[in-house]
Amino acid sequence: MNDTLNTIANRYSCRGFSSQPVSKTDLEILVRAGVQAPSSRGNAPWYLAVVTNRELIDQIRDSAFEVITRRDKLGYQSIMDRGGDLFYNAQALIVVATKPTHDLTPADFDAGLLTGNICLAAHSIGLGTCICGFATHAFHVFKSPDGERFAKQLKFPYGYQMTVAILVGHPAKTKDQHPTDTSSIRFFE
Ligand SMILES: Cc1cc2nc3c(=O)[nH]c(=O)nc-3n(C[C@H](O)[C@H](O)[C@H](O)COP(=O)(O)O)c2cc1C
């Protein structure tokens, strides 16, 4: 296996970060790797807000948790099963917003490729990440009382909407990647 394949094979969702801050240099490496992802027609329909402000990270976490508590019973249960923590003490939050492209594949697809790049790049330099779909609740304009404020505060360009967030930090807890299941693959020769 080469370095790239090793990184892919060993990346995992980190659910426990230390309080050590993530350096700006490292964050720059991650977002640069993110925007190096391919996108449909090269549209790059994304906007990335890199948040290290503790107060703002906590506000986004609390707001998402509040919406989940009110409106997402299953989500609430899965958070409780993992110890009741939504952001696992992440020291940085990369919020990915996208604009609709009216392309064959939705902008979310491009954002997924960008997100994958960020997670792999982070793992390759010893940082942990966890993609956090739950964070999107905080930005919901109808469900979350703070949704509009967060989008404004993070300066989302007009027409862009919250797509996903990536938690970043130095791992305090590690785990294995999910078991590799190749049963969904077929070869036609
Ligand atoms: C779109 C997406 C949203 C996710 N949202 C969350 C989340 O909100 N909280 C969380 O702890 N993990 C979240 N995950 C992580 C998955 O649970 C994890 O990738 C999966 O269980 C496989 O584990 P692994 O990444 O360690 O291999 C998300 C993953 C993806 C791709």
Side-chain angles (χ1 to χ4, degrees):
M1 286 232 272
N2 63 27
D3 287 350
T4 306
L5 294 174
N6 263 319
T7 301
I8 292 170
N10 292 310
R11 179 223 49 89
Y12 62 95
S13 294
C14 181
R15 297 203 175 92
F17 298 96
S18 79
S19 296
Q20 185 185 344
V22 184
S23 72
K24 180 134 189 228
T25 310
D26 281 353
L27 288 168
E28 280 168 351
I29 289 170
L30 302 193
V31 286
R32 191 178 166 80
V35 298
Q36 284 171 337
S39 64
S40 179
R41 298 178 204 235
N43 267 331
W46 44 56
Y47 171 78
L48 280 74
V50 184
V51 188
T52 50
N53 179 298
R54 183 74 262 158
E55 204 182 329
L56 184 52
I57 292 175
D58 290 348
Q59 283 175 9
I60 294 170
R61 178 202 58 202
D62 293 349
S63 200
F65 190 66
E66 194 268 327
V67 175
I68 293 161
T69 305
R70 269 191 296 118
R71 307 188 66 125
D72 180 0
K73 275 205 170 80
L74 281 178
Y76 178 83
Q77 200 46 56
S78 82
I79 292 163
M80 287 308 166
D81 291 345
R82 287 181 188 144
D85 193 356
L86 200 59
F87 283 3
Y88 316 115
N89 196 37
Q91 297 299 305
L93 185 68
I94 302 176
V95 176
V96 181
T98 54
K99 65 172 176 202
T101 56
H102 309 293
D103 217 333
L104 278 177
T105 46
D108 295 3
F109 185 89
D110 301 310
L113 297 174
L114 169 142
T115 301
N117 269 17
I118 290 177
C119 295
L120 293 172
H123 187 77
S124 78
I125 59 170
L127 289 170
T129 56
C130 187
I131 301 167
C132 189
F134 280 134
T136 56
H137 283 293
F139 290 78
H140 199 288
V141 281
F142 303 121
K143 293 181 194 163
S144 164
D146 302 308
E148 234 166 303
R149 172 170 76 83
F150 289 140
K152 266 196 195 135
Q153 216 164 337
L154 297 182
K155 299 188 173 10
F156 283 14
Y158 179 75
Y160 281 65
Q161 28 190 321
M162 163 58 159
T163 301
V164 76
I166 305 152
L167 310 172
V168 185
H170 293 272
K173 274 190 203 166
T174 61
K175 72 168 195 63
D176 289 332
Q177 188 181 84
H178 64 278
T180 304
D181 174 7
T182 56
S183 65
S184 54
I185 306 168
R186 298 284 181 280
F187 287 89
F188 298 88
E189 293 166 334

